[in-house]
Amino acid sequence: MSATEALKKIYWVPLESSPEAMTKMIHRIGVDKAFAFSDVLGLDPELLAMTPQPVHALIFLFPVTDSFQATRHSEAEASSPSANVWYSKQTIGNACGSMAILHALGNAPGVKIGGELAEFFAKTKDLSPLERSKALETCEAIAEAHGASAAEGQTAAPAADAKVDLHYAAFVRVDSHLYELDGGIPGPIDLGESTDLLTDAAAVIQKRIAALNNGSPLLSVLALGPNQDN
């Protein structure tokens, strides 16, 4: 990236992995209040069973390492995803939380969406992944909702252009295949046939955690499903 491009780059304040803050964000931009994010308490079958269901997507927060990202880059380059996967590149700095939310909602036909978010998805339906990212850069409604939710986290939000060593990815099921979506890698990772999003994605996340192998307490998984407080 040139110095001129760096000066022009847009940054958003990093979003905390908080189901409450993320739920407020999606409600602000048009997701029906019957849907919400919740913490996944664990990845073994007994704890997965406690997750409100049906689950429409999972969001995984993890610490970034060069070797881990290199593996995911290679997997994305080797994938041939369905054209029905809604995927966007990420060109906004520190927006990976909202990018994961958009990837989750853009591939969750069972979630009722209206308002500004429905308009955004309609506008970007036939665009390329890079064109979608540019559309997000100019979407004030999503930017404002992100900013409000970033300010509502349980910890003080860092500066928008702060270097953050944590990253988000979304797991969705499209055309009976499980996908891992991250705007910072070349494209969707096709993880193969899937019969159950929650259990299949949990198995992949367990492998991702084992590959990280750093004992980080900063790992978390959120599920998009029914709102238990509605």
Side-chain angles (χ1 to χ4, degrees):
M1 181 186 295
S2 69
T4 300
E5 289 173 328
L7 288 173
K8 291 180 179 178
K9 186 176 179 69
I10 297 171
Y11 288 87
W12 288 359
V13 174
L15 196 61
E16 184 177 289
S17 180
S18 159
E20 295 80 13
M22 288 188 172
T23 295
K24 287 181 180 179
M25 176 180 169
I26 64 174
H27 291 167
R28 286 185 175 109
I29 52 178
V31 174
D32 192 279
K33 290 188 177 181
F35 303 92
F37 285 102
S38 61
D39 284 311
V40 175
L41 302 178
L43 299 174
D44 62 333
E46 294 77 13
L47 292 174
L48 284 178
M50 299 173 67
T51 306
Q53 300 186 39
V55 170
H56 301 279
L58 291 183
I59 291 180
F60 177 40
L61 174 70
F62 56 91
V64 176
T65 68
D66 291 341
S67 60
F68 186 70
Q69 288 299 81
T71 297
R72 297 171 73 243
H73 272 253
S74 297
E75 291 178 359
E77 288 173 343
S79 292
S80 299
S82 166
N84 293 324
V85 176
W86 191 94
Y87 173 77
S88 172
K89 296 296 290 181
Q90 182 187 331
T91 54
I92 301 172
N94 289 337
C96 59
S98 283
M99 197 75 261
I101 289 172
L102 292 176
H103 280 144
L105 292 168
N107 296 286
V111 175
K112 185 177 180 181
I113 299 172
E116 293 93 343
L117 185 56
E119 293 176 9
F120 176 78
F121 281 138
K123 176 183 176 182
T124 61
K125 180 178 183 294
D126 298 318
L127 300 184
S128 71
L130 185 57
E131 289 170 334
R132 287 169 178 164
S133 72
K134 295 302 181 182
L136 181 60
E137 289 183 3
T138 59
C139 184
E140 292 184 5
I142 295 177
E144 289 172 1
H146 172 105
S149 293
E152 292 172 345
Q154 297 177 354
T155 58
D161 59 354
K163 179 175 173 54
V164 178
D165 294 326
L166 297 172
H167 196 64
Y168 290 92
F171 288 82
V172 301
R173 185 172 176 267
V174 179
D175 294 339
S176 299
H177 274 230
L178 181 68
Y179 288 93
E180 183 175 353
L181 305 180
D182 174 353
I185 59 178
I189 299 174
D190 185 351
L191 296 163
E193 292 187 7
S194 170
T195 56
D196 183 86
L197 169 61
L198 179 59
T199 56
D200 294 339
V204 174
I205 292 171
Q206 285 180 315
K207 292 178 181 177
R208 296 295 195 213
I209 292 171
L212 285 164
N213 193 31
N214 62 0
S216 173
L218 300 174
L219 298 158
S220 71
V221 182
L222 300 179
L224 173 63
N227 188 350
Q228 300 296 288
D229 296 326
N230 190 35

